[in-house]
Amino acid sequence: MLFCKKRISNLSFAIVVSVALWSMSSCSSGHDWREHYRNDADSPYGTSIIYRLLDDYFPGQRLEKLSDSLHVQLQNDNTTGTYFYLGPYLWMDSLRVASLLEFVSRGNDAMIIVSDLSPDLLDSISHEYCIDLTYHRDSGFHSGYNEHYFFMDTLAELNFVHPKLKVPNDYVFHFRIRDKNVRYEWDHLPNEIFCEDQDEFASLGTIGDSCVNFAMAKYGKGHFYLHTTPLVFTNFHIVQGPGREYAEKVLSHLKKGPVLWDATKRSFEFPGRNRGFGQSPLKYVLSQPSLAWGWYLLLGMAVLFLLFRAKRRQRMIPVLGKNENTSLEFIETIGRLYFVQSNHRQLALEKMKLFLGFVREHYHLSTRELNDQFKKQLSLKSEVPMPVIEKIFTIYGNIENSKFASENTLVAFHREMDKFYLTCK
């Protein structure tokens, strides 16, 4: 029986190897139509042409590639120039965001051309009372973050805002796979970042009728240039007259100096986004003979694994009991402790922390500054009369500015908060 199993395994392995060799030998010699944005590729959606344009853009100035130690290079005070990133999306951790912000604040510029901008970066540049994109992401709206900021079509019409750059007829760009125009997700910047209370963002270019896809943002002594249509900077569009003209007008916003091309690892597709391949993510894979055979080979290997390696090799993992939330019990215990010790001031301050936490969670308001604008927004969202809110913050201000609070003050503070909780929506 063991001998038979070995013969079956060897035969299966031989079949898999034969299919793999045959599929590799039958790969098509056509163009690679993936959006990979590689600066060393001459494929339609590579970026070798724009890379060469930047290399010759400022005579005598270098085009430097940044490596994986991005944050170290940008934090160096001797590093100057324009940070440049072109790709499908730029997703940065807090360390890289801080390094880039510090680099721009010193008087340098950053041009970021991506479909999906990092919410952390946008929130760091803009006023959070316009829109808090990081909150939307952390609240489970990550996929929804971009669902509101793109439209589906086979083409997009782009133009500039400045009269000297604007053209009478828009620049028209298509998304094409071989000889066919395909529907595509054309991204634009969130309209909320251009709210009336902000003065950082200025619109430089539009996509469609009224959406902004190119903007400048002041930060410190430098500027961010944000563009949400990287597709138009690929080889396929640059080789055409209008595409090169459009790209040169965008690059004209760069100030003379070194250009720091971010060549760190890119991910070519954002999870959950089907960029132009219809409703099925496999449509493009199955349309390419080599990729299709690779997919079938992967499925075949998975079936073989299930047939010959499906035996359980690990003992069953016991089910652990559900974790209990003891946060409320802890808060009640601490409250009783402060009350027994007659530390009414500290108990009032703790109650205020809970109140501000309730406001952030239910009304999504920033509690960094408890000014008149914050109180008006809180009154509007909670539908609690302004006098009640004013009295809460008046008593809180008196308690915070004094070293002692009486029991009567604590009771009055508690009653006003009860009024808020009973009447808020």
Side-chain angles (χ1 to χ4, degrees):
M1 185 66 181
L2 180 62
F3 176 72
C4 292
K5 286 186 177 181
K6 286 184 178 180
R7 285 193 62 182
I8 293 174
S9 298
N10 293 335
L11 179 61
S12 302
F13 179 74
I15 293 174
V16 169
V17 171
S18 300
V19 172
L21 292 174
W22 181 80
S23 64
M24 286 187 290
S25 65
S26 62
C27 288
S28 63
S29 58
H31 291 299
D32 181 2
W33 287 89
R34 290 177 301 156
E35 287 181 73
H36 52 66
Y37 297 96
R38 287 172 47 191
N39 66 287
D40 57 349
D42 294 327
S43 55
Y45 295 127
T47 57
S48 59
I49 296 179
I50 192 74
Y51 185 80
R52 289 195 291 266
L53 282 175
L54 279 173
D55 197 15
D56 300 330
Y57 200 77
F58 296 120
Q61 299 294 336
R62 72 185 189 278
L63 174 62
E64 180 181 344
K65 277 188 179 183
L66 297 178
S67 63
D68 287 334
S69 57
L70 171 68
H71 60 283
V72 176
Q73 293 172 279
L74 294 183
Q75 284 179 340
N76 189 341
D77 292 339
N78 297 324
T79 302
T80 59
T82 299
Y83 169 85
F84 191 93
Y85 186 91
L86 173 61
Y89 77 92
L90 179 62
W91 204 251
M92 308 178 76
D93 56 26
S94 58
L95 182 61
R96 293 195 175 197
V97 169
S99 301
L100 183 57
L101 292 173
E102 198 275 333
F103 172 77
V104 173
S105 67
R106 296 202 306 262
N108 301 299
D109 289 346
M111 179 167 283
I112 300 173
I113 306 174
V114 292
S115 298
D116 297 290
L117 283 160
S118 167
D120 299 290
L121 182 60
L122 273 180
D123 284 340
S124 300
I125 300 172
S126 64
H127 285 305
E128 70 172 13
Y129 51 75
C130 288
I131 182 174
D132 191 344
L133 297 172
T134 307
Y135 167 78
H136 285 285
R137 181 197 64 188
D138 294 338
S139 300
F141 294 134
H142 187 167
S143 59
Y145 157 57
N146 268 345
E147 283 180 5
H148 303 291
Y149 309 127
F150 72 88
F151 62 89
M152 293 289 298
D153 205 338
T154 58
L155 61 86
E157 298 174 335
L158 278 62
N159 215 324
F160 295 93
V161 174
H162 197 283
K164 292 185 177 180
L165 300 178
K166 189 173 183 179
V167 293
N169 298 320
D170 296 333
Y171 295 95
V172 179
F173 297 94
H174 295 84
F175 179 66
R176 178 169 294 183
I177 300 295
R178 290 188 290 275
D179 58 347
K180 183 179 179 181
N181 292 334
V182 182
R183 284 170 60 83
Y184 186 76
E185 295 178 5
W186 302 94
D187 297 83
H188 60 86
L189 289 166
N191 297 328
E192 291 85 350
I193 66 175
F194 298 98
C195 70
E196 296 180 357
D197 296 323
Q198 69 88 29
D199 57 0
E200 292 91 352
F201 284 89
S203 172
L204 300 179
T206 59
I207 183 171
D209 296 330
S210 59
C211 298
V212 178
N213 73 322
F214 185 29
M216 179 189 72
K218 295 184 294 184
Y219 191 84
K221 298 179 181 179
H223 299 85
F224 281 93
Y225 293 93
L226 308 176
H227 200 293
T228 64
T229 322
L231 188 76
V232 304
F233 297 91
T234 55
N235 300 332
F236 178 76
H237 294 289
I238 294 294
V239 295
Q240 305 176 44
R244 177 161 183 166
E245 179 183 325
Y246 181 85
E248 288 178 343
K249 287 184 178 180
V250 171
L251 296 181
S252 67
H253 293 82
L254 299 176
K255 63 182 180 183
K256 186 175 182 180
V259 177
L260 311 177
W261 179 285
D262 186 355
T264 52
K265 182 180 179 182
R266 293 173 172 82
S267 180
F268 304 147
E269 190 66 39
F270 193 84
R273 302 286 300 277
N274 302 330
R275 305 195 64 82
F277 302 122
Q279 298 301 319
S280 173
L282 292 176
K283 186 173 181 180
Y284 176 73
V285 173
L286 298 179
S287 68
Q288 304 290 325
S290 56
L291 294 179
W293 276 109
W295 171 250
Y296 295 139
L297 179 61
L298 178 62
L299 290 180
M301 293 177 67
V303 171
L304 291 176
F305 176 82
L306 292 176
L307 288 176
F308 301 108
R309 296 288 180 180
K311 182 180 178 181
R312 178 182 291 274
R313 292 178 174 270
Q314 180 181 348
R315 65 178 182 176
M316 294 183 65
I317 301 174
V319 178
L320 299 178
K322 186 177 180 181
N323 292 331
E324 295 183 1
N325 185 359
T326 58
S327 300
L328 292 177
E329 295 179 7
F330 175 76
I331 293 171
E332 291 175 358
T333 302
I334 294 298
R336 284 195 297 270
L337 178 62
Y338 286 138
F339 188 79
V340 170
Q341 294 178 347
S342 297
N343 193 347
H344 303 128
R345 179 181 183 275
Q346 188 61 40
L347 183 55
L349 295 179
E350 293 296 329
K351 287 179 68 65
M352 192 61 181
K353 287 181 182 179
L354 293 175
F355 175 76
L356 294 178
F358 177 85
V359 169
R360 287 192 296 270
E361 180 180 355
H362 287 78
Y363 306 116
H364 311 309
L365 294 175
S366 173
T367 57
R368 293 179 183 174
E369 296 184 9
L370 307 179
N371 50 26
D372 292 338
Q373 183 181 1
F374 167 78
K375 296 173 187 176
K376 291 178 182 178
Q377 290 179 337
L378 179 57
S379 178
L380 288 173
K381 289 195 173 187
S382 64
E383 300 183 15
V384 175
M386 194 65 184
V388 175
I389 294 176
E390 287 284 1
K391 196 161 186 180
I392 290 175
F393 284 96
T394 300
I395 299 176
Y396 170 68
N398 295 335
I399 294 173
E400 188 180 34
N401 295 327
S402 64
K403 296 183 179 180
F404 172 79
S406 66
E407 184 177 346
N408 292 334
T409 302
L410 177 60
V411 171
F413 189 48
H414 176 76
R415 286 176 177 171
E416 294 303 322
M417 281 192 171
D418 265 359
K419 290 180 184 178
F420 179 91
Y421 289 129
L422 292 172
T423 57
C424 68
K425 302 298 182 183

